[in-house]
Amino acid sequence: MSGDDQQLQSPDEASSSKGKGDPKASGAPAKPSRTQTQGVQLLNLGLKSAKVAAMLLVVWLIGYVGLSVTWVLIALVCYVVGNEYSRNRETKRAYAKQAVIDEQKAILARVDELPSWVYFPDVERAEWLNKMIQQMWPYIGDFVKNLLKTSVEAAVNANLPDKLKPFHFEKINLGNIPPRIGGVKVYIEKVKRDEILLDVEITYASDADMTVSVRGLNAGVKDILLHGTVRVVMRPLISQIPLVGGLTVFFLSQPKIDFDLTAAANFLDLPLLSTSLRTIISDQIANFLVLPNKLPIPLVENISLVELQFPLPAGVILLTIVEATELIRADVGMLSKGKSDPYCKIFVGGQSFTTAVIQNTITPVWNETFKVIIEHKQGQVVSIDVMDEDPGEDDELGTTSIDLEQVAKAGSIDSWFPLENVKSGRLHARVRWLYLSKSRDDIYKAKTCRGNDHHLPIAVLGVTVDSAKDLQSSKRSVSEPSPFVRLELGNHEEKTQVKQKTTHPRWEQSFRFFVADPDLQDLLVEVFDANNGNKKLGACKVPLRQLLNADNLTLYQPFPLKDAGSECSITLRLALLLLIPDKPKEVLDGREQVEENVSRPSERETSVAESSGKRSAASAETLVGEVSKHVIATASEIRSESNPDHASDHDDSSGLRYRGLNVPRDGRFGRIQISVRYSIQRSKFIVIVHKCLNLIPCDNDNLSDPYVRLVLLPDKSSKKKTQIKKNTLNPIFDETFDWSLSKADASSRVLELTVKNSVGLFSKSRVNMGLVHLNLSEIDDLSSAVTEWYDLQNPDEILKDS
């Protein structure tokens, strides 16, 4: 080393270089001696021996007092299950913490849990935001600590019964690991002009540690884990600082939650109790922050919390769970093959529904219809879990999901959906999308839309309980009442929160009811005193037919309360929203106005229409994500004007068009209709085989037994096939198939569809009836569903050429 280098050397470097050759000079700790190492090993051996001896002693005591050996087995099973449960939770928590500290290292170690921006190109990273949160986290921790000690602690003490007082926070430590933003997706299209939607993926794998004391008993929670997608609605946009009038925050679906209990709460961490506790906490969060529940945050004055929290819904779906088939046999039979006791659990945001249990079958038929109000269709899915009912924990028979944005585009979907995470199983479901109208001219359309099924609603009633005034307490009561409101319409009832000790309560809560006939139904409103045995303070009945004559089917006024003082009244906002199949005018003027504008064919859309042709109107009900009809019609007019000869090429009498192929098309081998799309949310390529027409006869009776084989080339092992349709040349399949692969991989594949004739072992009938090769790279946007008719080609010629 030169003299200049020695002068530039820092004191730490000099000390380090000096210590390399001199162990005494280095600052490294001395290596443990052999005697110390042996002592540690003997101590560990002694502890293990003591544990084994204690277990043997317990077993001996059980035998000594004459108890059954079953108790030993039960204790052993509980120990193994608890140990495995704890180890799995620790593994997940350790990975989550590692991902927050060093994302790259965690991803390389476990590539099956990548953040959303890896899978979805429209989801952006937010590293700048993560860095800001990390820098601010100590100050956020101090703020939360002061808030809990000064405000929350006092509020809890004020509402706790005397037997549970005093309550206070013993320890508040948010830890050093802040929440992490995995990705951000911004919606600026197909939304209102005065709003912006953000989907934020949040992962909070904290090392937080909190302890509370209730009447001297300590209980705590630590290592909180939360993962979910939060939607932030910024509306209305205004022309003054801060440019946004308010925020609405909520989870799109139930977030994943986990934590570790400490102190006296540890006894709740047993496997069965722990599952119940986490379910209760998840339900409470759903009641507060999962759709349709929202957290409104006004940013400027004169912004109504009700308008922020309860805007006009996007629509209503009628979901019918029809049947299932090919379910796995979850139960074990003694003398025959086991079956299952299936039922379905449906989740839409924070709403959940359950079908009836069909006993002892693998082909259940439910035919149950559920009515669901949809707040936002962007990013929303219907999740369906098929379960097997058991005395203990129910078994899972498969899951599937339906994209609501695609349902809204298609109008309705009636299809078989393959069940995931199981060997076999399909679920038949129908979903119908209905829009909401505030025009009294649509009342006939709403009744016609319902048809003869009078169990279905024709409208949704929105009720906002604003406030009441001059409520009177009971004559026997000295204190002021603590009122709450009960609403009843048909068999559906709702209750507001209790407002403590006031005669002028303000609730500002909204509820929604389905209406079967507004001419005949009344809304019952009752006010009760929670502090006086739920004594009724007053009531009123509002006939819904009054709304039919109101402007925009809306009333906002005080209603006098009967059985109360002459000045007692309650202020309600009532809005009747009619259910119709088409977009109403007021929706086009508001939420969907931008959709109407952007749906005019751009150059890209026109090129897609030119390559794919007119869609089949008949397939709109089964199409997943079909592009709207007026776009196709407009694109066809543009195409006809620019190239009349091409526009009329290959049209048939039914008005259907076929996607162009590189081989002659003469229709001699028939046609096949399919839908293809790529589901970004599920990371699956999906194909729906609808039907075939005019197939060639292959058997002696001039009929065939056709089925369709599907292969994603060049991987010939990815074969799938439909069921066999007996004795027909025009089979209808309506079967759905999917492959798990990335969107980039799907775009590089070729879908081969071969229509085959099912023949016997010694039959001489023709087997291959027709074949189509669909190059997926030629489809501009796989994420948008495409339904087409394709001419079947001579399979012998194509296979011979290949």
Side-chain angles (χ1 to χ4, degrees):
M1 182 181 294
S2 65
D4 294 337
D5 292 338
Q6 289 179 355
Q7 292 178 358
L8 293 172
Q9 199 174 18
S10 67
D12 291 340
E13 290 172 340
S15 175
S16 176
S17 62
K18 180 180 179 181
K20 289 180 181 178
D22 188 2
K24 295 181 181 180
S26 66
K31 185 178 180 180
S33 65
R34 182 177 180 182
T35 304
Q36 291 175 330
T37 304
Q38 289 177 346
V40 173
Q41 292 176 348
L42 289 174
L43 179 60
N44 291 335
L45 181 61
L47 291 174
K48 291 182 180 179
S49 300
K51 288 182 181 180
V52 173
M55 293 177 63
L56 293 176
L57 179 60
V58 171
V59 174
W60 179 83
L61 287 174
I62 290 175
Y64 180 79
V65 297
L67 296 178
S68 172
V69 72
T70 306
W71 290 103
V72 179
L73 297 177
I74 292 175
L76 182 61
V77 170
C78 291
Y79 174 79
V80 172
V81 171
N83 193 29
E84 183 68 21
Y85 181 80
S86 300
R87 186 163 62 248
N88 288 339
R89 285 201 300 134
E90 288 295 328
T91 301
K92 292 180 181 179
R93 195 177 292 121
Y95 167 75
K97 290 181 180 180
Q98 181 63 29
V100 172
I101 297 172
D102 190 344
E103 186 181 34
Q104 182 177 2
K105 186 176 180 181
I107 289 175
L108 294 176
R110 187 172 180 176
V111 296
D112 60 333
E113 293 189 13
L114 296 175
S116 58
W117 56 265
V118 177
Y119 294 114
F120 309 118
D122 52 352
V123 176
E124 302 176 3
R125 298 188 66 184
E127 282 305 308
W128 61 273
L129 186 56
N130 287 321
K131 292 177 180 177
M132 290 175 61
I133 295 175
Q134 185 175 8
Q135 190 73 8
M136 294 187 295
W137 188 242
Y139 304 96
I140 295 175
D142 293 339
F143 170 77
V144 171
K145 183 177 180 179
N146 293 332
L147 179 66
L148 293 178
K149 292 291 290 183
T150 58
S151 301
V152 176
E153 186 175 298
V156 172
N157 275 310
N159 291 278
L160 273 181
D162 293 335
K163 294 181 180 180
L164 296 179
K165 293 181 180 178
F167 169 90
H168 62 272
F169 289 95
E170 291 284 345
K171 181 179 181 182
I172 302 174
N173 180 16
L174 293 188
N176 299 318
I177 303 177
R180 182 171 183 81
I181 307 300
V184 178
K185 180 177 180 178
V186 181
Y187 298 88
I188 58 173
E189 297 181 351
K190 299 185 180 181
V191 297
K192 288 184 178 180
R193 287 193 180 93
D194 66 338
E195 72 177 8
I196 299 174
L197 305 185
L198 283 81
D199 285 350
V200 183
E201 180 192 10
I202 293 182
T203 300
Y204 182 41
S206 73
D207 54 348
D209 189 0
M210 296 187 186
T211 304
V212 299
S213 175
V214 181
R215 202 173 177 81
L217 182 65
N218 291 343
V221 61
K222 67 177 183 178
D223 296 338
I224 301 172
L225 175 62
L226 184 144
H227 178 78
T229 300
V230 174
R231 171 157 292 179
V232 181
V233 181
M234 307 171 66
R235 64 177 290 270
L237 301 181
I238 56 179
S239 56
Q240 63 186 43
I241 299 299
L243 302 180
V244 178
L247 303 176
T248 307
V249 182
F250 52 88
F251 284 97
L252 285 173
S253 58
Q254 195 87 277
K256 296 179 181 178
I257 301 173
D258 197 7
F259 48 83
D260 193 13
L261 299 173
T262 60
N266 252 330
F267 78 97
L268 294 174
D269 222 1
L270 296 174
L272 294 179
L273 292 177
S274 177
T275 302
S276 301
L277 176 65
R278 283 160 176 78
T279 301
I280 292 172
I281 292 177
S282 297
D283 291 341
Q284 292 302 315
I285 292 179
N287 292 335
F288 177 60
L289 266 183
V290 181
L291 270 179
N293 304 297
K294 308 170 187 176
L295 175 64
I297 305 174
L299 300 180
V300 297
E301 296 181 355
N302 301 323
I303 294 293
S304 172
L305 285 177
V306 175
E307 292 181 2
L308 287 178
Q309 196 168 9
F310 298 98
L312 182 69
V316 171
I317 63 169
L318 302 178
L319 171 64
T320 302
I321 305 298
V322 183
E323 58 183 326
T325 187
E326 301 174 8
L327 298 180
I328 60 175
R329 303 175 189 270
D331 298 335
V332 178
M334 298 297 294
L335 302 177
S336 61
K337 290 184 178 180
K339 294 188 178 180
S340 299
D341 304 321
Y343 68 95
C344 293
K345 296 169 64 177
I346 302 116
F347 301 94
V348 185
Q351 306 175 77
S352 61
F353 310 89
T354 305
T355 66
V357 179
I358 308 298
Q359 299 290 337
N360 200 31
T361 181
I362 58 173
T363 57
V365 177
W366 291 285
N367 279 322
E368 294 189 39
T369 300
F370 302 92
K371 308 174 289 289
V372 189
I373 298 174
I374 304 302
E375 303 289 339
H376 294 262
K377 61 186 178 183
Q378 294 94 340
Q380 276 274 275
V381 297
V382 177
S383 299
I384 305 174
D385 296 345
V386 184
M387 308 294 294
D388 170 46
E389 186 184 50
D390 284 328
E393 186 176 353
D394 294 345
D395 298 325
E396 188 174 285
L397 302 180
T399 63
T400 188
S401 61
I402 305 173
D403 190 340
L404 289 180
E405 193 169 5
Q406 304 295 346
V407 175
K409 288 181 181 179
S412 64
I413 292 176
D414 185 351
S415 186
W416 286 89
F417 297 91
L419 298 178
E420 302 176 4
N421 306 323
V422 286
K423 293 182 180 179
S424 65
R426 296 185 300 148
L427 179 70
H428 184 194
R430 289 194 295 264
V431 194
R432 186 182 181 189
W433 183 273
L434 297 176
Y435 290 94
L436 300 172
S437 170
K438 294 187 290 185
S439 173
R440 68 169 65 92
D441 298 333
D442 290 328
I443 182 67
Y444 177 75
K445 186 184 295 186
K447 292 182 177 180
T448 305
C449 177
R450 177 176 63 180
N452 296 324
D453 191 349
H454 296 286
H455 296 288
L456 296 179
I458 67 171
V460 173
L461 175 66
V463 181
T464 300
V465 182
D466 184 83
S467 59
K469 70 173 185 176
D470 296 329
L471 296 179
Q472 296 181 353
S473 59
S474 174
K475 295 180 180 180
R476 298 180 181 179
S477 177
V478 178
S479 62
E480 293 183 333
S482 296
F484 68 93
V485 179
R486 176 180 173 270
L487 305 171
E488 181 181 335
L489 181 63
N491 297 324
H492 185 192
E493 70 172 48
E494 295 284 356
K495 294 180 181 179
T496 67
Q497 298 175 348
V498 176
K499 295 300 178 179
Q500 297 293 333
K501 298 180 180 180
T502 176
T503 58
H504 295 78
R506 178 173 293 276
W507 291 282
E508 292 186 331
Q509 287 184 255
S510 292
F511 307 93
R512 296 193 177 105
F513 300 84
F514 286 105
V515 179
D517 193 339
D519 290 317
L520 302 177
Q521 291 183 278
D522 299 333
L523 175 68
L524 177 62
V525 183
E526 298 175 309
V527 184
F528 295 92
D529 182 5
N531 286 348
N532 193 18
N534 291 340
K535 178 180 175 59
K536 185 186 293 187
L537 300 178
C540 68
K541 185 176 290 186
V542 183
L544 299 188
R545 60 178 175 271
Q546 294 183 8
L547 295 170
L548 297 177
N549 299 320
D551 293 338
N552 293 325
L553 306 180
T554 301
L555 288 176
Y556 192 6
Q557 65 184 48
F559 294 86
L561 293 173
K562 295 181 180 180
D563 303 326
S566 59
E567 301 297 327
C568 294
S569 65
I570 184 169
T571 302
L572 304 174
R573 183 182 185 275
L574 307 176
L576 193 66
L577 304 171
L578 302 174
L579 299 177
I580 59 175
D582 305 319
K583 292 181 183 179
K585 183 178 184 301
E586 68 267 15
V587 173
L588 289 175
D589 292 340
R591 178 187 293 273
E592 303 294 342
Q593 179 68 49
V594 182
E595 282 196 34
E596 187 184 40
N597 294 337
V598 299
S599 63
R600 295 170 183 167
S602 61
E603 294 181 0
R604 175 180 173 277
E605 289 171 330
T606 305
S607 65
V608 173
E610 288 178 352
S611 63
S612 60
K614 297 177 183 177
R615 276 22 177 203
S616 169
S619 64
E621 292 185 354
T622 56
L623 173 63
V624 184
E626 180 65 75
V627 183
S628 56
K629 299 177 184 177
H630 67 280
V631 175
I632 302 303
T634 309
S636 300
E637 292 174 4
I638 295 174
R639 179 173 56 251
S640 300
E641 293 172 0
S642 61
N643 192 351
D645 295 334
H646 179 71
S648 61
D649 190 22
H650 300 303
D651 283 353
D652 66 355
S653 59
S654 64
L656 302 176
R657 286 175 54 88
Y658 324 131
R659 177 177 293 275
L661 297 173
N662 294 327
V663 292
R665 298 180 297 178
D666 49 20
R668 290 180 301 166
F669 294 89
R671 296 180 292 167
I672 183 172
Q673 186 192 39
I674 63 169
S675 296
V676 297
R677 77 178 180 98
Y678 184 83
S679 174
I680 296 178
Q681 197 161 28
R682 298 167 56 194
S683 298
K684 290 180 180 292
F685 173 65
I686 301 172
V687 178
I688 303 176
V689 180
H690 295 293
K691 54 188 173 181
C692 296
L693 288 178
N694 303 326
L695 299 179
I696 60 175
C698 298
D699 298 338
N700 295 331
D701 55 0
N702 289 326
L703 294 173
S704 301
D705 299 333
Y707 67 94
V708 181
R709 187 191 70 178
L710 304 89
V711 183
L712 268 184
L713 299 177
D715 183 10
K716 294 188 177 181
S717 63
S718 60
K719 295 180 181 178
K720 299 179 184 291
K721 65 178 183 179
T722 66
Q723 295 182 344
I724 299 171
K725 301 298 180 180
K726 294 288 187 179
N727 300 323
T728 179
L729 300 180
N730 300 290
I732 297 177
F733 299 100
D734 279 334
E735 296 185 41
T736 304
F737 305 91
D738 59 58
W739 290 263
S740 296
L741 70 169
S742 66
K743 186 177 180 181
D745 191 11
S747 300
S748 64
R749 300 293 190 96
V750 174
L751 176 63
E752 180 184 85
L753 300 110
T754 308
V755 182
K756 289 177 168 286
N757 179 35
S758 178
V759 299
L761 182 62
F762 300 104
S763 175
K764 295 183 179 180
S765 299
R766 181 184 180 117
V767 176
N768 294 322
M769 304 173 64
L771 184 143
V772 168
H773 279 147
L774 177 60
N775 192 342
L776 301 182
S777 63
E778 297 179 356
I779 300 178
D780 291 337
D781 186 8
L782 270 180
S783 59
S784 297
V786 177
T787 297
E788 297 293 346
W789 282 99
Y790 297 90
D791 283 320
L792 295 172
Q793 307 305 315
N794 188 343
D796 298 331
E797 294 180 1
I798 295 179
L799 294 175
K800 182 179 178 180
D801 294 339
S802 60

